[in-house]
Amino acid sequence: MRNITLSQAVNEALAEEMRRDSSVFIIGEDVAEAGTPFKVLSGLVEEFGTARVVDTPIAEPGFMGLAVGAAMTGARPVVDLMFGDFIFLIMDQLCNQAAKTHYMSGGKLNVPLVLRTNLGATRRSAAQHSQSLHALVAHIPGLKVALPSSAYEAKGLMKTAIRDNNPVVIFEDKLMYNDKATVPEEEFLIPFGEANIKREGEDITLIATSSMVQVCEKAADILAAEGISAEVIDPRTIVPLDEETLLRSAKKTSRVIVVDEGHQNFGITGEIAGRINEKAFYHLDAPVVRMGAMDVPVPFSPALEDITVPTPEAVAEKARLLMSGEMIHAA
Amino acid sequence: MPTFADNGDGGCARKILLKAIAKALHMTHSNADDYLRMYRQMVRIRTFEDNANQLYLSAKMPGLTHMYSGEEAVAVGICEALKTSDKITSTHRGHGHCVAKGADFKEMFCELLGKEEGYCRGKGGSMHIADQSNGNLGANAIVGGSMGIATGAAFSAKLLGKDDVAVCFFGDGATAQGLMYEVMNMAALWKLPVIYACENNGYSEYTRTDEIAAGSITARAEAFGIEAFQVDGQDVLAVNDLSQKLVERCRKGEGPFFIELMTYRYHGHHVGDINREYYRSKSEEKDWRENRDPITRFRAWLVEEGIASEEEIEAMNAAIKADASEAVEYALNAKYPDASEVDMHVFTDVEHALA
Ligand SMILES: Cc1ncc(C[n+]2csc(CCOP(=O)(O)OP(=O)(O)O)c2C)c(N)n1
Ligand SMILES: [Mg+2]
């Protein structure tokens, strides 16, 4: 086994799928020679050429729409959207076009497209380069949404996404591109809709996505030292969502905190908490607690930005409150 | 008005002729103060950027920033043709526009460092710096994101019966955004007092402009019936002359206009873009710095015309340097916003959104 960065993992997944299937191509801004600002795609244009690693003008709605059309007619685009925040520019093509085409055509047209983008704050990039907007697309029927939490997931989920016949949006955590994890050399895929129990525990369940998986693992360490056994679960895809695994854990521990880096209001945490309330209510000893990013635009100043995202200490503190039996309302 | 689009020799010859006329006009001006202010503003921008770059390199500035060095004549030539209540919209490469429109170093450095006394109380940072007091509606981290805003500012000036003009600064890369064509169409239909100022520095990020822009940029504006001009963006007098005329015409209801300003950024796309030979040669950078620098050129002209002596210019440069160092020191020691500010300014009518 070897350790590689999340960035290398994505690069490998793309290279393998492009070798396997000549209809797969990458399109986006500075994806070729520059290999993206995060250097995730370095080397791909050398192997696959500029016909399949396509640099575009700064025209997100344009190349997104073009990719939808290409996907409907036999190609398999992987669209590179430099920052997750730019998803607002392509919403029509993604949500009105890509998401609905299969349904509106009565199942006759497919849009096998992957949109690769990112999420994550605390990079000092201010309000238009720091958002975690996965809840917006998860809201739209017809779009699958994957949230890799390490290099291993990034590779396995990317390969599955490319082979999927539906539009899939993958959000990578831009702060994790250089983080290493063990990734097998031999080929593997991670199926959608299968949560990963990162750590087993008895007293409380921490359901965490993407960047928040690390945070919750650290919180679990803090809690373990205090004699509280936390289970950490990573859903890996939020559409489809592996309800069964989440519910099983909720019923086992009877206490749940859902942690996600999207805004808390009207977000992923509320959705997951709602499903657990509906389907495991009588097994719970406390309300399901939501912890998302603070409901403010992401501020530039480090003094403010750092307090907008859940930290291991904050998660541990919430867990203690739940364990103490106090009926709390998540702030 | 003729368009100065660069379409072969004819266009070039016309440009040279117009430059000669422009120069002749200057001779008759006795606006030494204006010229000195233009020089001073260009040096202030360069000095600001040198300090900002140092702050990045010494890890004292959070995040990344995009340097305006090399493009000073664009912002200064245009902003010197504007009054305080005229509006500008700026870009991710926005420090130059901000300084040129009248901003102070202290508040700017405080903003870059995320301090409470910054123009945006540390909430915006380099890419969102805005200076309401001088009509700067803000930098923008979305490429092309301010085109609607500038056009809207021109719309409201007309609606409210003000004679304010709006200038929309954007890069060559931003001409790929569809929004630009939507708003140019409306601006032309409704004769809005807006000037679209395309700063063509030859690159968008790590890609040469000719690889991402088909055809002619000015011709795109002309397709909407908008008069379009191409001008040497390294020549502050040429930029200022053209801007004065277009601003006046905007005030008379003859807008909108489009200017393509040919310029160059000296640094990488952002301060972290150090190894860039894969997309841009060192000799090209050297050529622009040594032979087409807007400050060096203008300084030589000022001396040649007897408007300022070398000593006076050196004294001015030194004063600006001292000013900048003082502002940097001040900003480094200034305090961060209190944590309680995090949920302020989400809404105008709620003090703390999460209280
Ligand atoms: C909508 C959008 N797409 C992409 C980016 C990433 N990006 C930031 S600056 C830039 C290049 C802009 O080039 P140009 O407009 O020529 O301005 P310059 O940087 O040369 O001043 C890109 C692609 C962005 N900020 N916003
Ligand atoms: Mg440019």
Side-chain angles (χ1 to χ4, degrees):
Chain A
M1 287 292 213
R2 64 198 173 138
N3 285 333
I4 59 172
T5 64
L6 191 147
S7 170
Q8 287 170 311
V10 173
N11 190 298
E12 277 188 10
L14 289 164
E16 286 173 20
E17 291 307 297
M18 288 176 82
R19 275 175 217 135
R20 187 188 57 79
D21 180 350
S22 62
S23 69
V24 178
F25 73 99
I26 297 171
I27 186 165
E29 292 153 19
D30 277 323
V31 292
E33 285 79 9
T36 78
F38 297 103
K39 304 292 167 207
V40 176
L41 305 184
S42 295
L44 294 181
V45 73
E46 283 77 7
E47 179 173 355
F48 300 102
T50 50
R52 291 179 69 198
V53 184
V54 185
D55 266 349
T56 66
I58 313 174
E60 290 82 3
F63 66 72
M64 180 66 198
L66 184 150
V68 175
M72 287 164 67
T73 51
R76 300 184 86 85
V78 178
V79 177
D80 188 287
L81 189 68
M82 197 183 293
F83 282 86
D85 309 67
F86 308 160
I87 211 159
F88 289 118
L89 281 87
I90 61 162
M91 275 307 222
D92 177 65
Q93 298 305 312
L94 180 64
C95 300
N96 274 331
Q97 314 301 337
K100 296 176 173 47
T101 293
H102 185 68
Y103 189 82
M104 294 191 301
S105 68
K108 299 221 169 72
L109 290 166
N110 293 347
V111 186
L113 171 153
V114 178
L115 175 64
R116 260 198 72 231
T117 190
N118 51 42
L119 55 69
T122 68
R123 206 172 151 265
R124 317 307 180 213
S125 309
Q128 294 172 344
H129 279 66
S130 308
Q131 298 168 88
S132 301
L133 298 173
H134 43 293
L136 285 179
V137 290
H139 188 66
I140 304 302
L143 299 177
K144 296 188 180 178
V145 184
L147 302 174
S149 60
S150 80
Y152 175 76
E153 276 82 16
K155 181 164 184 188
L157 292 171
M158 178 60 73
K159 286 173 69 85
T160 304
I162 292 171
R163 297 184 194 189
D164 199 294
N165 282 330
N166 301 282
V168 178
V169 189
I170 299 194
F171 289 87
E172 294 153 8
D173 175 10
K174 63 174 99 72
L175 284 103
M176 254 161 56
Y177 279 127
N178 294 321
D179 290 3
K180 289 189 172 182
T182 304
V183 178
E185 308 228 22
E186 56 281 5
E187 179 167 65
F188 71 100
L189 281 84
I190 298 175
F192 284 0
E194 266 187 31
N196 181 25
I197 302 176
K198 292 287 284 189
R199 169 177 184 139
E200 296 209 28
E202 300 304 321
D203 301 327
I204 186 163
T205 300
L206 307 177
I207 298 172
T209 61
S210 181
S211 49
M212 293 296 111
V213 174
Q214 284 184 353
V215 166
C216 285
E217 286 185 288
K218 285 187 194 132
D221 286 339
I222 297 174
L223 293 167
E226 299 165 16
I228 298 172
S229 157
E231 180 147 299
V232 180
I233 306 187
D234 170 12
R236 300 200 287 204
T237 55
I238 48 173
V239 183
L241 183 68
D242 181 1
E243 263 187 26
E244 204 182 302
T245 302
L246 305 186
L247 290 171
R248 200 182 312 120
S249 178
K251 289 174 184 170
K252 179 175 83 174
T253 65
S254 81
R255 292 175 179 88
V256 182
I257 304 177
V258 192
V259 192
D260 174 81
E261 204 179 330
H263 290 302
Q264 183 168 300
N265 288 349
F266 307 96
I268 301 303
T269 55
E271 175 63 27
I272 293 177
R275 294 201 205 185
I276 293 170
N277 275 336
E278 269 175 24
K279 296 178 183 170
F281 185 75
Y282 294 103
H283 300 266
L284 298 177
D285 286 324
V288 180
V289 169
R290 300 168 301 144
M291 290 183 80
M294 196 181 274
D295 288 294
V296 300
V298 180
F300 167 71
S301 183
L304 302 181
E305 186 179 26
D306 287 344
I307 56 180
T308 64
V309 177
T311 58
E313 294 71 29
V315 174
E317 183 52 28
K318 275 272 163 18
R320 277 180 214 115
L321 280 172
L322 276 186
M323 293 307 299
S324 73
E326 274 181 57
M327 291 302 294
I328 60 150
H329 300 285
Chain B
M1 279 296 274
T3 55
F4 301 177
D6 202 3
N7 45 8
D9 286 335
C12 248
R14 204 162 45 196
K15 258 195 303 189
I16 292 165
L17 180 68
L18 282 160
K19 245 175 95 174
I21 296 171
K23 198 162 175 186
L25 284 173
H26 283 293
M27 303 300 193
T28 63
H29 278 199
S30 54
N31 303 353
D33 286 352
D34 294 346
Y35 299 141
L36 290 175
R37 203 175 51 240
M38 278 194 241
Y39 177 79
R40 183 165 182 275
Q41 286 291 64
M42 289 203 291
V43 176
R44 286 185 75 232
I45 294 173
R46 182 74 55 90
T47 310
F48 183 91
E49 294 299 49
D50 289 346
N51 279 277
N53 194 36
Q54 258 340 100
L55 286 169
Y56 167 77
L57 293 173
S58 57
K60 288 178 184 148
M61 185 182 65
L64 292 169
T65 183
H66 308 78
M67 302 277 93
Y68 197 72
S69 309
E71 309 190 13
E72 293 87 350
V74 173
V76 172
I78 291 178
C79 290
E80 283 295 311
L82 301 175
K83 53 186 170 65
T84 304
S85 63
D86 288 327
K87 305 294 186 281
I88 64 164
T89 61
S90 170
T91 68
H92 56 285
R93 198 175 303 291
H95 306 159
H97 310 134
C98 194
V99 171
K101 196 70 176 61
D104 286 329
F105 278 174
K106 254 184 202 165
E107 284 93 331
M108 283 186 73
F109 280 120
C110 280
E111 191 58 37
L112 259 61
L113 298 180
K115 301 298 177 75
E116 183 191 274
E117 286 175 77
Y119 273 115
C120 310
R121 300 191 70 81
K123 282 194 160 125
S126 161
M127 282 204 293
H128 300 286
I129 198 157
D131 171 15
Q132 165 75 8
S133 58
N134 286 301
N136 178 355
L137 299 179
N140 209 306
I142 300 299
V143 168
S146 71
M147 290 166 167
I149 296 170
T151 312
F155 184 92
S156 83
K158 192 168 175 177
L159 179 79
L160 304 175
K162 297 181 185 165
D163 75 344
D164 291 346
V165 168
V167 175
C168 179
F169 288 103
F170 56 95
D172 46 284
T175 63
Q177 288 288 353
L179 179 62
M180 177 169 132
Y181 303 93
E182 301 187 13
V183 297
M184 283 202 308
N185 186 34
M186 287 184 269
L189 282 171
W190 304 333
K191 297 204 179 318
L192 300 181
V194 55
I195 297 173
Y196 299 101
C198 176
E199 310 181 291
N200 188 343
N201 59 12
Y203 295 86
S204 63
E205 268 190 7
Y206 320 110
T207 303
R208 276 211 326 272
T209 307
D210 58 11
E211 291 173 15
I212 49 97
S216 141
I217 288 178
T218 46
R220 299 181 191 182
E222 285 166 357
F224 293 100
I226 296 177
E227 274 182 56
F229 304 83
Q230 196 186 58
V231 62
D232 179 359
Q234 306 308 89
D235 180 347
V236 71
L237 292 180
V239 174
N240 186 251
D241 262 333
L242 179 62
S243 304
Q244 302 258 13
K245 289 182 193 118
L246 299 185
V247 167
E248 260 344 284
R249 289 183 62 198
C250 267
R251 296 205 206 286
K252 284 193 272 173
E254 294 174 29
F257 297 104
F258 189 102
I259 317 177
E260 182 182 12
L261 302 112
M262 311 311 284
T263 185
Y264 202 75
R265 63 161 156 83
Y266 290 166
H267 292 259
H269 170 60
H270 54 63
V271 283
D273 174 24
I274 308 281
N275 300 318
R276 48 183 183 269
E277 276 173 276
Y278 71 95
Y279 73 87
R280 195 170 95 165
S281 72
K282 283 205 166 124
S283 63
E284 180 188 299
E285 295 185 2
K286 191 162 168 261
D287 180 45
W288 279 85
R289 273 181 189 269
E290 290 181 359
N291 303 316
R292 307 185 62 174
D293 184 74
I295 297 176
T296 313
R297 276 169 77 173
F298 193 50
R299 172 181 174 147
W301 185 83
L302 289 173
V303 174
E304 196 184 295
E305 298 292 314
I307 295 168
S309 67
E310 288 286 352
E311 295 70 44
E312 284 165 338
I313 284 179
E314 282 305 325
M316 199 180 337
N317 291 354
I320 292 168
K321 263 209 179 106
D323 220 31
S325 309
E326 194 192 320
V328 167
E329 260 328 287
Y330 184 87
L332 283 169
N333 296 316
K335 68 179 175 51
Y336 284 110
D338 189 76
S340 65
E341 291 213 18
V342 74
D343 68 341
M344 293 175 80
H345 315 117
V346 180
F347 297 106
T348 59
D349 52 350
V350 182
E351 200 178 353
H352 289 281
L354 305 178

